[in-house]
């Protein structure tokens, strides 16, 4: 069994700090530093109060738990010490554990061991990281459903079925007396079509899954005094950007992350987009342009207008900036002061047009509803069926392509060896998704993105 690893699994600065151990000596190492308060030995899986002794000194009175193998997260013996969160106590305890033979765990090493010991497949292991990083309850729900293994099983079952198909084809190739016509072509074609469609559907969910996991870049644009800063503050619920009525005061970009239900927006309050001779302000305008370009391509553009006044040339410049964006919403702000122009003036250029008052904080729902609908995050599949990373999306694409090619070859009456090579390619690709045949460097790369202690 591998060397015992130890790491602090909680973020520094909390009231409690949890040190985790995994490996053959986890139980022995725990017993070397921890003594249950009532005497006697540790009871498996029971959190127990006691003393933590390092170099002959009691340094904490923590809770500790011992998990004998194999029913543990990693499949190895494990232990946890729930200390008080003092960095001095935690460092001293870890140092003592290292002196006793443990070594510092690398990023994601606990989960990597769980994967290597067959406790979860690679797809579920990646969901663990998504769960740790989830920024909305919906992102957490998607990750925890994936962790539950429903989709992993689906991939494993499909891979087994495809391996079975390969065997059938190879039998025909090896024993040429058996004609390919002996194979149930229609049934095989249906299996290939259905599988390709399901995998394609999952791949298509990647855009939404990515938005769910990473959030969307969001640029709030509009001419000076349209109410961008006021809107940002209203959305954030507190005063973050400076609000004044002197034109051009929002000179810098201010980044905030904001959650609206399932939607996480990486907000950028941009300097007023307008032509200017002021060199400082021009830097702000350039930054605003870059923020808008990112939001146009990958996220959402919120264009704010002073809805109480007729549209100006500056507003038309803003419309130009938003035109052609992947997702865009026009906000007719200052609805409390009446309407200076009709919504139809903006409708052709925006995905949605809403009216609200940022100052009075009324009508904000119309904006959040439009944004949620636009990103397709209003209704999420309950089975964890949103794919959240590019590697998985790429594998799904390649697998579906290979299956479609195999189906087409079958339909065109090609020889079994031509059909089987595409199915084998699909089997190989799917193995990369579950980890059944993932390359070691890819596995290394995946776990390198985890935090230490998970
Ligand atoms: P920005 O330059 O686009 O960021 O505009 P600000 O957010 O600084 O707002 C400019 C002025 O418009 C400020 O005096 C705000 O109080 C005012 N303002 C913003 N939103 C509204 C609104 O919904 N109604 C009214 N009556 N005034 C608003």
């Amino acid at each position: 069994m591998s060397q015992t690893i130890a790491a602090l699994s909680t973020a520094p600065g909390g009231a409690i700090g949890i040190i985790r151990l995994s490996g053959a000596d986890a139980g022995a190492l725990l017993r070397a530093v921890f003594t249950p308060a009532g005497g006697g030995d540790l009871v498996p899986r029971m959190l127990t109060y006691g003393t933590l002794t390092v170099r002959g000194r009691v340094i904490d009175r923590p809770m500790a738990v011992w998990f004998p193998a194999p029913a543990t997260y990693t499949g190895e013996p494990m232990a946890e010490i729930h200390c008080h969160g003092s960095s001095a106590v935690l460092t001293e305890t870890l140092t003592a554990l290292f002196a006793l033979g443990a070594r510092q765990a690398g990023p994601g090493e606990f989960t990597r061991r769980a994967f290597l010991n067959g406790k979860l497949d690679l797809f579920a292991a990646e969901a663990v990281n998504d769960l740790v990083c989830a920024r909305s309850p919906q992102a957490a729900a998607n990750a925890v459903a994936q962790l539950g293994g429903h989709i992993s099983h689906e991939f494993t079952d499909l891979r087994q079925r495809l391996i079975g198909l390969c065997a059938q084809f190879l039998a025909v190739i090896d024993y040429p007396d058996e004609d390919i016509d002996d194979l149930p072509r229609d049934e095989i074609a249906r299996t290939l079509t259905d599988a390709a469609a399901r995998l394609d559907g999952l791949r298509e969910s990647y855009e939404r899954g990515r938005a769910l996991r990473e959030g969307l870049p969001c640029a709030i644009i509009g001419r000076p005094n349209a109410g961008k800063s006021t809107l940002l503050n209203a959305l954030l619920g507190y005063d973050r950007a400076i609000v004044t009525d002197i034109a051009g005061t929002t000179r810098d970009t201010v980044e905030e992350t904001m959650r609206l239900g399932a939607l996480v927006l990486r907000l950028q309050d941009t300097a007023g987009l307008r032509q200017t001779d002021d060199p400082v302000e021009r830097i702000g305008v350039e930054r605003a342009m870059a923020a808008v370009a990112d939001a146009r391509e990958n996220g959402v553009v919120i264009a704010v207008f002073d809805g109480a006044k007729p549209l100006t040339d500056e507003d038309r410049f803003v419309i130009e900036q938003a035109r052609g964006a992947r997702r865009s919403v026009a906000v007719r702000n200052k609805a409390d002061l009446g309407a200076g122009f009709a919504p139809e003036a903006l409708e052709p250029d925006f995905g949605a047009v809403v009216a609200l008052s940022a100052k009075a904080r009324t009508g904000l729902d119309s904006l959040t509803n439009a944004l949620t609908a636009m990103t397709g995050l209003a209704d999420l599949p309950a089975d964890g069926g949103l794919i959240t990373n590019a590697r998985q999306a790429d594998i799904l694409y390649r697998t579906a392509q290979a299956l479609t090619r195999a189906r087409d070859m079958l339909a065109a009456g090609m020889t079994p060896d031509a059909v089987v090579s595409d199915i084998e390619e699909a089997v190989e690709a799917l193995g990369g998704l579950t980890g059944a045949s993932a390359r070691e460097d890819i596995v290394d790369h995946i776990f390198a993105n985890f935090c230490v202690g998970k």
Side-chain angles (χ1 to χ4, degrees):
M1 202 177 285
S2 13
Q3 187 182 359
T4 300
I5 50 173
L8 177 63
S9 285
T10 45
I16 305 286
I18 300 178
I19 290 172
R20 269 177 131 193
L21 292 152
S22 179
D25 298 330
L29 287 169
L30 175 60
R31 285 179 184 85
V33 294
F34 178 80
T35 313
D41 199 6
L42 286 155
V43 179
R45 284 177 282 281
M46 192 158 106
L47 197 60
T48 307
Y49 176 63
T51 52
L52 184 63
T53 309
V54 170
R55 288 197 303 267
R57 263 185 326 114
V58 173
I59 62 162
D60 196 4
R61 295 185 184 279
M63 307 283 281
V65 58
W66 165 56
F67 304 98
T72 69
Y73 180 66
T74 59
E76 302 173 334
M78 289 188 75
E80 287 178 8
I81 312 174
H82 297 217
C83 302
H84 290 97
S86 145
S87 64
V89 168
L90 295 166
T91 307
E92 214 173 336
T93 308
L94 273 174
T95 307
L97 292 169
F98 297 151
L100 289 164
R103 73 161 169 79
Q104 170 68 50
E109 197 169 357
F110 290 92
T111 308
R112 186 187 182 122
R113 288 187 177 195
F115 164 63
L116 293 175
N117 291 327
K119 287 285 170 178
L120 34 73
D121 71 6
L122 202 54
F123 186 77
E126 292 189 281
V128 171
N129 204 28
D130 278 2
L131 185 56
V132 173
C133 303
R135 289 195 277 184
S136 67
Q138 291 81 355
N142 190 61
V144 89
Q146 291 186 355
L147 191 52
H150 182 76
I151 295 191
S152 291
H153 289 146
E154 200 181 321
F155 293 146
T156 305
D157 287 351
L158 174 61
R159 190 163 174 272
Q160 287 309 322
R161 265 188 293 143
L162 295 175
I163 290 172
L165 272 184
C166 287
Q168 280 182 288
F169 277 99
L170 292 171
V172 172
I173 296 166
D174 287 345
Y175 303 98
D177 296 347
E178 293 186 37
D179 196 343
I180 190 161
D181 291 333
D182 293 342
L183 295 171
R185 279 164 176 268
D186 291 349
E187 196 185 312
I188 295 173
R190 215 170 22 251
T191 302
L192 297 174
T193 306
D194 291 351
R198 168 66 174 152
L199 299 181
D200 261 337
L202 283 170
R203 180 186 57 81
E204 279 163 15
S205 75
Y206 171 53
E207 189 174 339
R208 286 191 296 153
R210 185 177 172 196
L212 189 69
R213 189 170 70 104
E214 295 174 12
L216 289 175
C218 169
I220 299 182
I221 63 174
R223 67 174 166 85
N225 282 331
K228 299 177 295 298
S229 306
T230 311
L231 177 64
L232 178 65
N233 292 337
L235 291 172
L236 293 171
Y238 66 99
D239 281 354
R240 178 66 181 82
I242 314 153
V243 182
T244 73
D245 47 11
I246 306 162
T249 47
T250 312
R251 285 191 161 157
D252 212 338
T253 55
V254 179
E255 268 207 36
E256 285 282 354
T257 296
M258 181 185 66
R259 187 168 71 77
L260 300 172
L263 190 62
V264 172
L265 295 179
R266 301 202 310 272
L267 283 174
Q268 299 194 297
D269 177 22
T270 55
L273 277 177
R274 60 174 192 162
Q275 315 300 332
T276 173
D277 294 330
D278 178 331
V280 179
E281 201 180 331
R282 202 160 52 225
I283 294 170
V285 172
E286 276 162 19
R287 281 197 209 164
M289 293 286 200
V292 174
D294 187 26
R296 275 172 56 91
E297 258 171 65
N298 307 307
V300 55
V301 174
I302 299 177
V304 184
F305 299 91
D306 183 338
K309 294 189 179 143
L311 290 172
T312 65
D313 283 347
E314 280 186 314
D315 287 326
R316 278 181 265 281
F317 176 65
V318 169
I319 295 171
E320 283 298 316
Q321 300 304 308
R323 188 169 290 147
R326 201 179 176 114
R327 306 176 191 86
S328 63
V329 186
V331 173
R332 290 160 67 222
N333 188 31
K334 312 197 185 184
D336 53 309
L337 300 179
F341 61 91
E344 289 77 25
L346 298 172
E347 274 162 6
D349 294 306
F350 291 89
V353 180
V354 300
L356 56 82
S357 168
K359 192 171 179 182
R361 303 197 173 184
T362 53
L364 293 170
D365 278 359
S366 60
L367 175 59
T368 56
N369 291 343
L371 290 169
T372 310
M374 218 165 253
T375 35
L377 294 179
D379 298 303
L380 300 179
D383 65 352
L386 284 195
I387 295 302
T388 57
N389 79 52
R391 187 189 79 88
Q392 295 171 345
D394 174 58
I395 290 178
L396 289 167
Y397 175 76
R398 286 190 285 117
T399 311
Q401 290 280 306
L403 294 178
T404 305
R405 278 198 307 274
R407 195 252 345 253
D408 291 347
M409 295 226 190
L410 192 66
M414 301 293 275
T415 54
D417 52 324
V419 181
V420 82
S421 76
D422 279 317
I423 304 181
E424 280 172 341
E425 193 180 318
V427 168
E428 183 63 23
L430 265 184
L433 197 58
T434 59
S437 64
R439 281 186 7 222
E440 196 174 339
D441 56 334
I442 292 176
V443 173
D444 286 346
H445 181 75
I446 289 170
F447 287 104
N449 288 324
F450 277 53
C451 34
V452 172
K454 186 62 234 177

